[in-house]
Amino acid sequence: MTEKHSLAPLKTLLFSFHAANTIILSFLPLYLQFKGLNGTEIGWVLATGPLVSIFSQPFWGYMSDKYKTVQRMLLLCVIGLLITSVIFFQMNGLIALLIVATLFYFFSYPISSFGDSLAQRRADELRISFGTIRTWGSIGFATSALLIGELLNRIGIQYMMWPFLFFALLTLVIVIRLEDVTVDSEPIQLRDVTRLLKNKPFMFFLLFMMLITIGHRANDSFIGLYIHQLGGSEGLVGLAWFIGVASEAVVFALAGYWFRKYHPLIFVIIGSFLYSIRWFLYALIDTPMMVISLQFLHGLTFGVFYTAAMSYVTRLIPSILQSTGHLIFYAAFFGVSGVIGSLLGGRWMELFGGSYLYTVLGVLSITGTILLLIYYTIIKRKTINAN
């Protein structure tokens, strides 16, 4: 099988799923606001996903490693996503939304991490940059954000279920035809997972990383409401996401040129520092167009930070535990950070406004940057002493 043929289905999967996920990430807060929920209640619904992912990510990763398949686990998750999403969009009350959201996110969150895990493995096999594959997810995200944002601006946010189902069904078709990865190792046992939890560099890195990703996840949840708060429309929300993710796609696509020259932790720290600058700038602005004009920083923050963090974590994880380790990484990056960012962000947004929220996020990012710099110094010193 040629490289082109082996990568095309995977790239298409990343494109279609992230196109669907964009609709949830970008417009669900506005949809819930349309349903009559306040900032705190929206925060609770959005926090359901990250909270569930803390358990669902390791669970699906363990099942994937145990049964030595990614494709079949992906198929189960996409089918579950389709069924629960139809039910979710029929719900109105807060309690009903929370219950169904729990099921929806149980199936939704692992899909992205499985896709990225596949991309990382395939990139390693072909000796190419992970970013050159992952960029197709960003392209799907950016395209969907721009087109669906304008569509919903015209037809109404209440109809967001239909474009979501279109891309989700497309994802299902692709997963059915997707080539599974080849796993030569023996299926893991539950006790093997404890090896990851005892890996101190891995666990400390996740802890320090979360000070950065809390801000990232809070922004994911509330940038749409912030733009609305400043007087923007659904179309401007979509434009903001388009510019941000388009810049992310460029960074991913060019990762092979800049990424391999230095230790990935160097780029993790650079991304962390840029996050701090980004949030402080957002705290100072007062028009939606100023938010949009700064969205190019998304690529220089998430694109750089995520690519480097994924690469570094892969170095720390034994090959037999790749799926489990990647999904634990996801549970920290998008799960724990997402719970904290959604709950506290929703409350701060309701009580104090967006400017206060972004100031706090800037302080958290600066703190995380300092701790990661100390972490890198210790790791480097240990490496020198070992040699």
Side-chain angles (χ1 to χ4, degrees), residues 148-208:
I148 303 306
E150 185 58 34
L151 175 66
L152 294 178
N153 191 44
R154 293 173 180 271
I155 68 174
I157 194 71
Q158 65 269 30
Y159 297 110
M160 67 174 281
M161 177 182 75
W162 300 110
F164 173 81
L165 288 178
F166 170 79
F167 286 114
L169 284 168
L170 179 60
T171 302
L172 176 63
V173 172
I174 296 164
V175 170
I176 292 173
R177 301 172 61 87
L178 189 67
E179 177 189 1
D180 211 348
V181 295
T182 301
V183 181
D184 297 324
S185 59
E186 292 297 319
I188 67 167
Q189 303 299 319
L190 188 59
R191 62 178 179 273
D192 295 329
V193 181
T194 61
R195 292 166 55 190
L196 290 176
L197 304 180
K198 293 178 180 178
N199 186 328
K200 290 183 179 180
F202 179 53
M203 300 308 294
F204 274 115
F205 176 74
L206 294 184
L207 179 63
F208 299 151

Short mmCIF file of all heavy atoms in Angstrom, two decimals, residues 148-208:
data_model
loop_
_atom_site.label_atom_id
_atom_site.label_comp_id
_atom_site.label_asym_id
_atom_site.label_seq_id
_atom_site.Cartn_x
_atom_site.Cartn_y
_atom_site.Cartn_z
N ILE A 148 -20.44 26.98 8.64
CA ILE A 148 -21.58 26.72 9.53
C ILE A 148 -21.93 27.96 10.33
O ILE A 148 -23.10 28.21 10.64
CB ILE A 148 -21.30 25.52 10.45
CG1 ILE A 148 -20.97 24.28 9.62
CG2 ILE A 148 -22.50 25.24 11.36
CD1 ILE A 148 -22.01 23.92 8.58
N GLY A 149 -20.91 28.76 10.68
CA GLY A 149 -21.19 30.01 11.37
C GLY A 149 -22.08 30.92 10.55
O GLY A 149 -23.05 31.51 11.06
N GLU A 150 -21.78 31.04 9.26
CA GLU A 150 -22.60 31.87 8.38
C GLU A 150 -23.97 31.25 8.17
O GLU A 150 -24.99 31.95 8.13
CB GLU A 150 -21.88 32.06 7.03
CG GLU A 150 -22.59 33.00 6.08
CD GLU A 150 -22.80 34.40 6.64
OE1 GLU A 150 -21.94 34.86 7.42
OE2 GLU A 150 -23.85 35.01 6.32
N LEU A 151 -24.01 29.89 8.05
CA LEU A 151 -25.30 29.21 7.87
C LEU A 151 -26.21 29.44 9.07
O LEU A 151 -27.40 29.77 8.91
CB LEU A 151 -25.06 27.71 7.68
CG LEU A 151 -26.31 26.83 7.59
CD1 LEU A 151 -27.10 27.16 6.34
CD2 LEU A 151 -25.93 25.35 7.61
N LEU A 152 -25.68 29.26 10.28
CA LEU A 152 -26.49 29.42 11.48
C LEU A 152 -26.90 30.88 11.69
O LEU A 152 -27.95 31.16 12.28
CB LEU A 152 -25.74 28.89 12.70
CG LEU A 152 -25.47 27.38 12.71
CD1 LEU A 152 -24.67 26.98 13.94
CD2 LEU A 152 -26.78 26.60 12.65
N ASN A 153 -26.08 31.79 11.22
CA ASN A 153 -26.43 33.21 11.31
C ASN A 153 -27.66 33.51 10.46
O ASN A 153 -28.46 34.39 10.78
CB ASN A 153 -25.24 34.07 10.86
CG ASN A 153 -25.43 35.54 11.16
OD1 ASN A 153 -25.88 35.92 12.24
ND2 ASN A 153 -25.12 36.39 10.19
N ARG A 154 -27.81 32.72 9.38
CA ARG A 154 -28.94 32.93 8.47
C ARG A 154 -30.20 32.16 8.89
O ARG A 154 -31.31 32.69 8.83
CB ARG A 154 -28.56 32.53 7.05
CG ARG A 154 -27.50 33.42 6.41
CD ARG A 154 -27.04 32.88 5.06
NE ARG A 154 -26.04 33.72 4.45
CZ ARG A 154 -26.29 34.75 3.65
NH1 ARG A 154 -27.55 35.06 3.36
NH2 ARG A 154 -25.32 35.47 3.13
N ILE A 155 -30.03 30.90 9.32
CA ILE A 155 -31.20 30.05 9.60
C ILE A 155 -31.56 29.98 11.08
O ILE A 155 -32.66 29.57 11.44
CB ILE A 155 -31.00 28.63 9.05
CG1 ILE A 155 -29.89 27.89 9.82
CG2 ILE A 155 -30.69 28.66 7.56
CD1 ILE A 155 -29.73 26.42 9.44
N GLY A 156 -30.61 30.33 11.95
CA GLY A 156 -30.88 30.29 13.38
C GLY A 156 -30.08 29.21 14.10
O GLY A 156 -29.91 28.10 13.57
N ILE A 157 -29.60 29.53 15.29
CA ILE A 157 -28.76 28.62 16.06
C ILE A 157 -29.52 27.35 16.45
O ILE A 157 -28.91 26.29 16.71
CB ILE A 157 -28.22 29.34 17.32
CG1 ILE A 157 -27.09 28.55 17.97
CG2 ILE A 157 -29.33 29.59 18.32
CD1 ILE A 157 -25.81 28.56 17.20
N GLN A 158 -30.85 27.41 16.49
CA GLN A 158 -31.66 26.25 16.91
C GLN A 158 -31.57 25.09 15.94
O GLN A 158 -31.96 23.96 16.27
CB GLN A 158 -33.12 26.66 17.10
CG GLN A 158 -33.84 27.10 15.84
CD GLN A 158 -33.75 28.60 15.60
OE1 GLN A 158 -32.77 29.24 15.97
NE2 GLN A 158 -34.78 29.17 14.97
N TYR A 159 -31.04 25.31 14.74
CA TYR A 159 -30.94 24.24 13.74
C TYR A 159 -29.54 23.64 13.62
O TYR A 159 -29.22 22.98 12.62
CB TYR A 159 -31.37 24.78 12.37
CG TYR A 159 -32.82 25.22 12.33
CD1 TYR A 159 -33.14 26.57 12.22
CD2 TYR A 159 -33.86 24.30 12.42
CE1 TYR A 159 -34.47 26.99 12.20
CE2 TYR A 159 -35.18 24.71 12.40
CZ TYR A 159 -35.49 26.06 12.28
OH TYR A 159 -36.80 26.46 12.27
N MET A 160 -28.71 23.84 14.62
CA MET A 160 -27.32 23.39 14.53
C MET A 160 -27.19 21.86 14.51
O MET A 160 -26.15 21.32 14.13
CB MET A 160 -26.48 23.96 15.68
CG MET A 160 -26.84 23.46 17.07
SD MET A 160 -25.68 24.07 18.33
CE MET A 160 -24.29 22.97 18.10
N MET A 161 -28.24 21.13 14.90
CA MET A 161 -28.19 19.68 14.88
C MET A 161 -27.95 19.13 13.47
O MET A 161 -27.22 18.15 13.30
CB MET A 161 -29.50 19.09 15.42
CG MET A 161 -29.55 17.56 15.36
SD MET A 161 -31.11 16.86 15.97
CE MET A 161 -32.20 17.23 14.59
N TRP A 162 -28.52 19.76 12.46
CA TRP A 162 -28.50 19.18 11.12
C TRP A 162 -27.12 19.21 10.47
O TRP A 162 -26.68 18.17 9.95
CB TRP A 162 -29.56 19.85 10.24
CG TRP A 162 -30.93 19.66 10.81
CD1 TRP A 162 -31.73 20.61 11.38
CD2 TRP A 162 -31.64 18.42 10.93
NE1 TRP A 162 -32.88 20.05 11.84
CE2 TRP A 162 -32.87 18.70 11.58
CE3 TRP A 162 -31.35 17.11 10.55
CZ2 TRP A 162 -33.80 17.72 11.84
CZ3 TRP A 162 -32.28 16.12 10.81
CH2 TRP A 162 -33.49 16.44 11.44
N PRO A 163 -26.39 20.30 10.48
CA PRO A 163 -25.02 20.23 9.95
C PRO A 163 -24.12 19.32 10.77
O PRO A 163 -23.23 18.66 10.22
CB PRO A 163 -24.54 21.68 9.98
CG PRO A 163 -25.45 22.39 10.91
CD PRO A 163 -26.75 21.69 10.83
N PHE A 164 -24.37 19.24 12.09
CA PHE A 164 -23.59 18.33 12.92
C PHE A 164 -23.80 16.88 12.49
O PHE A 164 -22.84 16.12 12.33
CB PHE A 164 -23.96 18.50 14.39
CG PHE A 164 -23.30 17.46 15.28
CD1 PHE A 164 -21.99 17.60 15.69
CD2 PHE A 164 -24.00 16.32 15.67
CE1 PHE A 164 -21.37 16.63 16.47
CE2 PHE A 164 -23.39 15.35 16.46
CZ PHE A 164 -22.08 15.51 16.86
N LEU A 165 -25.06 16.49 12.28
CA LEU A 165 -25.35 15.12 11.88
C LEU A 165 -24.77 14.79 10.51
O LEU A 165 -24.34 13.66 10.27
CB LEU A 165 -26.86 14.87 11.88
CG LEU A 165 -27.54 14.79 13.25
CD1 LEU A 165 -29.04 14.58 13.09
CD2 LEU A 165 -26.94 13.66 14.08
N PHE A 166 -24.72 15.76 9.63
CA PHE A 166 -24.15 15.53 8.30
C PHE A 166 -22.69 15.11 8.42
O PHE A 166 -22.26 14.09 7.84
CB PHE A 166 -24.26 16.80 7.45
CG PHE A 166 -23.50 16.73 6.16
CD1 PHE A 166 -24.00 16.04 5.07
CD2 PHE A 166 -22.25 17.34 6.05
CE1 PHE A 166 -23.28 15.96 3.87
CE2 PHE A 166 -21.53 17.27 4.86
CZ PHE A 166 -22.04 16.58 3.77
N PHE A 167 -21.89 15.87 9.17
CA PHE A 167 -20.48 15.55 9.31
C PHE A 167 -20.25 14.30 10.16
O PHE A 167 -19.31 13.54 9.93
CB PHE A 167 -19.71 16.74 9.89
CG PHE A 167 -19.51 17.86 8.92
CD1 PHE A 167 -20.12 19.10 9.12
CD2 PHE A 167 -18.71 17.69 7.81
CE1 PHE A 167 -19.93 20.14 8.22
CE2 PHE A 167 -18.51 18.72 6.90
CZ PHE A 167 -19.13 19.94 7.10
N ALA A 168 -21.12 14.06 11.13
CA ALA A 168 -20.99 12.86 11.96
C ALA A 168 -21.26 11.60 11.15
O ALA A 168 -20.56 10.59 11.31
CB ALA A 168 -21.94 12.94 13.15
N LEU A 169 -22.25 11.64 10.27
CA LEU A 169 -22.54 10.50 9.40
C LEU A 169 -21.40 10.27 8.42
O LEU A 169 -21.04 9.12 8.12
CB LEU A 169 -23.85 10.72 8.65
CG LEU A 169 -25.13 10.53 9.47
CD1 LEU A 169 -26.35 11.07 8.71
CD2 LEU A 169 -25.33 9.06 9.82
N LEU A 170 -20.82 11.34 7.91
CA LEU A 170 -19.66 11.22 7.03
C LEU A 170 -18.50 10.54 7.76
O LEU A 170 -17.81 9.69 7.20
CB LEU A 170 -19.25 12.60 6.52
CG LEU A 170 -18.03 12.65 5.59
CD1 LEU A 170 -18.28 11.82 4.33
CD2 LEU A 170 -17.70 14.10 5.23
N THR A 171 -18.32 10.90 9.02
CA THR A 171 -17.28 10.28 9.83
C THR A 171 -17.52 8.78 9.97
O THR A 171 -16.58 7.97 9.89
CB THR A 171 -17.23 10.93 11.23
OG1 THR A 171 -17.00 12.33 11.09
CG2 THR A 171 -16.13 10.32 12.08
N LEU A 172 -18.76 8.39 10.19
CA LEU A 172 -19.11 6.97 10.31
C LEU A 172 -18.73 6.19 9.05
O LEU A 172 -18.14 5.12 9.13
CB LEU A 172 -20.60 6.81 10.60
CG LEU A 172 -21.13 5.38 10.67
CD1 LEU A 172 -20.48 4.62 11.82
CD2 LEU A 172 -22.65 5.37 10.80
N VAL A 173 -19.07 6.74 7.90
CA VAL A 173 -18.75 6.07 6.63
C VAL A 173 -17.24 5.88 6.49
O VAL A 173 -16.77 4.81 6.07
CB VAL A 173 -19.30 6.89 5.45
CG1 VAL A 173 -18.81 6.31 4.12
CG2 VAL A 173 -20.82 6.93 5.49
N ILE A 174 -16.47 6.89 6.87
CA ILE A 174 -15.02 6.81 6.74
C ILE A 174 -14.43 5.80 7.71
O ILE A 174 -13.54 5.01 7.35
CB ILE A 174 -14.39 8.20 6.98
CG1 ILE A 174 -14.86 9.17 5.90
CG2 ILE A 174 -12.86 8.11 6.99
CD1 ILE A 174 -14.63 10.61 6.23
N VAL A 175 -14.92 5.78 8.96
CA VAL A 175 -14.40 4.85 9.95
C VAL A 175 -14.62 3.40 9.53
O VAL A 175 -13.76 2.54 9.75
CB VAL A 175 -15.03 5.11 11.34
CG1 VAL A 175 -14.67 4.00 12.32
CG2 VAL A 175 -14.57 6.46 11.89
N ILE A 176 -15.77 3.12 8.92
CA ILE A 176 -16.06 1.76 8.45
C ILE A 176 -15.00 1.29 7.45
O ILE A 176 -14.61 0.12 7.44
CB ILE A 176 -17.47 1.70 7.81
CG1 ILE A 176 -18.54 1.91 8.90
CG2 ILE A 176 -17.69 0.37 7.09
CD1 ILE A 176 -19.95 2.04 8.36
N ARG A 177 -14.48 2.22 6.65
CA ARG A 177 -13.51 1.88 5.61
C ARG A 177 -12.06 2.10 6.05
O ARG A 177 -11.13 1.85 5.28
CB ARG A 177 -13.78 2.72 4.36
CG ARG A 177 -15.18 2.53 3.79
CD ARG A 177 -15.46 3.53 2.67
NE ARG A 177 -14.51 3.37 1.56
CZ ARG A 177 -14.67 2.53 0.56
NH1 ARG A 177 -15.75 1.75 0.52
NH2 ARG A 177 -13.78 2.44 -0.40
N LEU A 178 -11.88 2.53 7.30
CA LEU A 178 -10.54 2.90 7.78
C LEU A 178 -9.67 1.68 8.04
O LEU A 178 -10.13 0.67 8.59
CB LEU A 178 -10.66 3.72 9.06
CG LEU A 178 -9.39 4.38 9.59
CD1 LEU A 178 -8.92 5.48 8.64
CD2 LEU A 178 -9.64 4.96 10.98
N GLU A 179 -8.40 1.76 7.65
CA GLU A 179 -7.44 0.69 7.92
C GLU A 179 -7.01 0.74 9.38
O GLU A 179 -6.68 1.81 9.90
CB GLU A 179 -6.21 0.86 7.02
CG GLU A 179 -5.12 -0.16 7.26
CD GLU A 179 -3.84 0.18 6.51
OE1 GLU A 179 -3.81 1.22 5.83
OE2 GLU A 179 -2.86 -0.59 6.64
N ASP A 180 -7.04 -0.38 10.07
CA ASP A 180 -6.60 -0.45 11.46
C ASP A 180 -5.08 -0.43 11.53
O ASP A 180 -4.39 -0.72 10.56
CB ASP A 180 -7.13 -1.72 12.12
CG ASP A 180 -7.41 -1.53 13.61
OD1 ASP A 180 -6.98 -0.51 14.17
OD2 ASP A 180 -8.06 -2.41 14.20
N VAL A 181 -4.55 -0.05 12.71
CA VAL A 181 -3.10 -0.08 12.89
C VAL A 181 -2.66 -1.50 13.19
O VAL A 181 -3.42 -2.30 13.74
CB VAL A 181 -2.65 0.86 14.02
CG1 VAL A 181 -2.94 2.30 13.67
CG2 VAL A 181 -3.32 0.50 15.34
N THR A 182 -1.42 -1.80 12.88
CA THR A 182 -0.85 -3.11 13.17
C THR A 182 -0.19 -3.07 14.54
O THR A 182 0.67 -2.21 14.79
CB THR A 182 0.19 -3.52 12.12
OG1 THR A 182 -0.46 -3.54 10.84
CG2 THR A 182 0.76 -4.89 12.43
N VAL A 183 -0.60 -3.97 15.44
CA VAL A 183 -0.04 -4.02 16.79
C VAL A 183 0.61 -5.38 16.99
O VAL A 183 -0.05 -6.41 16.94
CB VAL A 183 -1.13 -3.80 17.86
CG1 VAL A 183 -0.52 -3.84 19.26
CG2 VAL A 183 -1.84 -2.48 17.63
N ASP A 184 1.93 -5.38 17.18
CA ASP A 184 2.67 -6.63 17.30
C ASP A 184 2.82 -7.09 18.74
O ASP A 184 3.15 -8.25 19.01
CB ASP A 184 4.07 -6.48 16.69
CG ASP A 184 3.99 -6.19 15.20
OD1 ASP A 184 3.09 -6.75 14.55
OD2 ASP A 184 4.82 -5.41 14.71
N SER A 185 2.59 -6.18 19.69
CA SER A 185 2.80 -6.52 21.09
C SER A 185 1.64 -7.33 21.64
O SER A 185 0.56 -7.41 21.05
CB SER A 185 2.97 -5.24 21.91
OG SER A 185 1.83 -4.42 21.79
N GLU A 186 1.86 -7.94 22.81
CA GLU A 186 0.80 -8.69 23.48
C GLU A 186 -0.24 -7.74 24.04
O GLU A 186 0.08 -6.59 24.42
CB GLU A 186 1.39 -9.52 24.63
CG GLU A 186 2.29 -10.65 24.16
CD GLU A 186 1.53 -11.68 23.34
OE1 GLU A 186 0.39 -12.00 23.71
OE2 GLU A 186 2.07 -12.14 22.31
N PRO A 187 -1.51 -8.15 24.12
CA PRO A 187 -2.54 -7.30 24.73
C PRO A 187 -2.16 -6.96 26.17
O PRO A 187 -1.62 -7.80 26.89
CB PRO A 187 -3.80 -8.19 24.69
CG PRO A 187 -3.54 -9.16 23.60
CD PRO A 187 -2.06 -9.42 23.61
N ILE A 188 -2.43 -5.72 26.58
CA ILE A 188 -2.02 -5.31 27.92
C ILE A 188 -3.00 -5.83 28.97
O ILE A 188 -4.15 -6.18 28.67
CB ILE A 188 -1.94 -3.77 28.02
CG1 ILE A 188 -3.33 -3.12 27.89
CG2 ILE A 188 -0.99 -3.21 26.99
CD1 ILE A 188 -3.35 -1.67 28.28
N GLN A 189 -2.54 -5.85 30.19
CA GLN A 189 -3.36 -6.18 31.35
C GLN A 189 -3.60 -4.89 32.15
O GLN A 189 -2.84 -3.93 32.04
CB GLN A 189 -2.67 -7.23 32.22
CG GLN A 189 -2.33 -8.52 31.48
CD GLN A 189 -3.55 -9.23 30.94
OE1 GLN A 189 -4.59 -9.30 31.60
NE2 GLN A 189 -3.43 -9.75 29.72
N LEU A 190 -4.63 -4.91 32.96
CA LEU A 190 -4.98 -3.71 33.72
C LEU A 190 -3.82 -3.25 34.59
O LEU A 190 -3.59 -2.04 34.76
CB LEU A 190 -6.22 -3.98 34.58
CG LEU A 190 -6.83 -2.77 35.30
CD1 LEU A 190 -7.23 -1.70 34.28
CD2 LEU A 190 -8.03 -3.18 36.14
N ARG A 191 -3.05 -4.18 35.15
CA ARG A 191 -1.94 -3.80 36.02
C ARG A 191 -0.86 -3.02 35.27
O ARG A 191 -0.10 -2.26 35.88
CB ARG A 191 -1.33 -5.05 36.68
CG ARG A 191 -0.73 -6.03 35.69
CD ARG A 191 -0.08 -7.22 36.41
NE ARG A 191 0.47 -8.18 35.47
CZ ARG A 191 -0.20 -9.18 34.92
NH1 ARG A 191 -1.49 -9.34 35.24
NH2 ARG A 191 0.38 -10.00 34.06
N ASP A 192 -0.80 -3.23 33.93
CA ASP A 192 0.21 -2.52 33.15
C ASP A 192 -0.04 -1.01 33.15
O ASP A 192 0.89 -0.21 33.01
CB ASP A 192 0.22 -3.02 31.70
CG ASP A 192 0.67 -4.47 31.59
OD1 ASP A 192 1.48 -4.89 32.43
OD2 ASP A 192 0.21 -5.17 30.67
N VAL A 193 -1.31 -0.60 33.28
CA VAL A 193 -1.65 0.82 33.25
C VAL A 193 -1.01 1.55 34.43
O VAL A 193 -0.68 2.75 34.33
CB VAL A 193 -3.18 1.00 33.26
CG1 VAL A 193 -3.55 2.47 33.20
CG2 VAL A 193 -3.80 0.25 32.08
N THR A 194 -0.81 0.85 35.55
CA THR A 194 -0.21 1.51 36.72
C THR A 194 1.21 1.96 36.43
O THR A 194 1.72 2.85 37.12
CB THR A 194 -0.21 0.55 37.93
OG1 THR A 194 0.57 -0.62 37.61
CG2 THR A 194 -1.61 0.12 38.29
N ARG A 195 1.84 1.38 35.41
CA ARG A 195 3.18 1.83 35.04
C ARG A 195 3.16 3.29 34.60
O ARG A 195 4.11 4.04 34.86
CB ARG A 195 3.73 0.96 33.91
CG ARG A 195 4.03 -0.48 34.32
CD ARG A 195 4.25 -1.37 33.10
NE ARG A 195 5.30 -0.86 32.21
CZ ARG A 195 5.53 -1.35 31.00
NH1 ARG A 195 4.80 -2.35 30.53
NH2 ARG A 195 6.51 -0.84 30.27
N LEU A 196 2.10 3.70 33.94
CA LEU A 196 1.99 5.09 33.52
C LEU A 196 1.80 6.01 34.72
O LEU A 196 2.36 7.10 34.78
CB LEU A 196 0.82 5.26 32.55
CG LEU A 196 0.99 4.66 31.15
CD1 LEU A 196 -0.29 4.84 30.35
CD2 LEU A 196 2.16 5.30 30.43
N LEU A 197 0.98 5.58 35.67
CA LEU A 197 0.70 6.41 36.84
C LEU A 197 1.91 6.54 37.76
O LEU A 197 1.99 7.47 38.56
CB LEU A 197 -0.49 5.83 37.62
CG LEU A 197 -1.78 5.66 36.81
CD1 LEU A 197 -2.88 5.08 37.69
CD2 LEU A 197 -2.22 6.99 36.20
N LYS A 198 2.86 5.62 37.64
CA LYS A 198 4.09 5.67 38.42
C LYS A 198 5.23 6.36 37.67
O LYS A 198 6.33 6.50 38.21
CB LYS A 198 4.51 4.26 38.82
CG LYS A 198 3.56 3.58 39.79
CD LYS A 198 4.02 2.15 40.11
CE LYS A 198 3.06 1.47 41.07
NZ LYS A 198 3.46 0.07 41.36
N ASN A 199 4.96 6.77 36.44
CA ASN A 199 5.96 7.45 35.64
C ASN A 199 5.98 8.93 36.05
O ASN A 199 5.17 9.74 35.60
CB ASN A 199 5.60 7.31 34.15
CG ASN A 199 6.66 7.87 33.23
OD1 ASN A 199 7.35 8.83 33.55
ND2 ASN A 199 6.78 7.27 32.07
N LYS A 200 6.91 9.30 36.94
CA LYS A 200 6.92 10.64 37.53
C LYS A 200 7.10 11.76 36.50
O LYS A 200 6.40 12.77 36.57
CB LYS A 200 7.99 10.72 38.62
CG LYS A 200 7.64 9.90 39.85
CD LYS A 200 8.70 10.07 40.94
CE LYS A 200 8.33 9.26 42.18
NZ LYS A 200 9.34 9.39 43.25
N PRO A 201 8.04 11.63 35.54
CA PRO A 201 8.14 12.71 34.54
C PRO A 201 6.84 12.92 33.77
O PRO A 201 6.44 14.06 33.50
CB PRO A 201 9.26 12.21 33.61
CG PRO A 201 10.09 11.33 34.47
CD PRO A 201 9.12 10.64 35.38
N PHE A 202 6.15 11.82 33.45
CA PHE A 202 4.88 11.89 32.74
C PHE A 202 3.82 12.61 33.58
O PHE A 202 3.15 13.54 33.11
CB PHE A 202 4.43 10.48 32.38
CG PHE A 202 3.11 10.40 31.66
CD1 PHE A 202 2.87 11.13 30.51
CD2 PHE A 202 2.10 9.55 32.12
CE1 PHE A 202 1.65 11.05 29.84
CE2 PHE A 202 0.89 9.46 31.46
CZ PHE A 202 0.67 10.21 30.32
N MET A 203 3.68 12.22 34.83
CA MET A 203 2.65 12.79 35.69
C MET A 203 2.93 14.26 36.03
O MET A 203 2.01 15.09 36.04
CB MET A 203 2.51 11.96 36.97
CG MET A 203 2.11 10.50 36.73
SD MET A 203 0.63 10.30 35.68
CE MET A 203 -0.63 11.03 36.73
N PHE A 204 4.19 14.60 36.29
CA PHE A 204 4.53 16.00 36.58
C PHE A 204 4.30 16.88 35.36
O PHE A 204 3.83 18.02 35.48
CB PHE A 204 5.97 16.13 37.07
CG PHE A 204 6.14 15.91 38.53
CD1 PHE A 204 6.86 14.82 39.01
CD2 PHE A 204 5.57 16.77 39.46
CE1 PHE A 204 7.01 14.60 40.38
CE2 PHE A 204 5.71 16.57 40.83
CZ PHE A 204 6.43 15.48 41.29
N PHE A 205 4.64 16.35 34.19
CA PHE A 205 4.42 17.12 32.97
C PHE A 205 2.93 17.40 32.79
O PHE A 205 2.54 18.53 32.45
CB PHE A 205 4.96 16.37 31.75
CG PHE A 205 4.68 17.06 30.45
CD1 PHE A 205 5.38 18.20 30.10
CD2 PHE A 205 3.69 16.58 29.60
CE1 PHE A 205 5.10 18.86 28.90
CE2 PHE A 205 3.42 17.23 28.40
CZ PHE A 205 4.13 18.37 28.05
N LEU A 206 2.07 16.40 33.00
CA LEU A 206 0.63 16.61 32.87
C LEU A 206 0.13 17.66 33.86
O LEU A 206 -0.71 18.50 33.51
CB LEU A 206 -0.11 15.29 33.09
CG LEU A 206 0.11 14.17 32.07
CD1 LEU A 206 -0.79 12.98 32.41
CD2 LEU A 206 -0.15 14.64 30.65
N LEU A 207 0.65 17.63 35.08
CA LEU A 207 0.22 18.59 36.10
C LEU A 207 0.57 20.02 35.70
O LEU A 207 -0.29 20.92 35.77
CB LEU A 207 0.88 18.22 37.44
CG LEU A 207 0.56 19.14 38.62
CD1 LEU A 207 -0.93 19.09 38.95
CD2 LEU A 207 1.38 18.74 39.84
N PHE A 208 1.80 20.24 35.29
CA PHE A 208 2.22 21.59 34.92
C PHE A 208 1.54 22.05 33.63
O PHE A 208 1.19 23.22 33.48
CB PHE A 208 3.75 21.66 34.75
CG PHE A 208 4.51 21.32 36.01
CD1 PHE A 208 5.77 20.76 35.94
CD2 PHE A 208 3.96 21.55 37.27
CE1 PHE A 208 6.48 20.44 37.08
CE2 PHE A 208 4.66 21.23 38.43
CZ PHE A 208 5.92 20.67 38.33
#
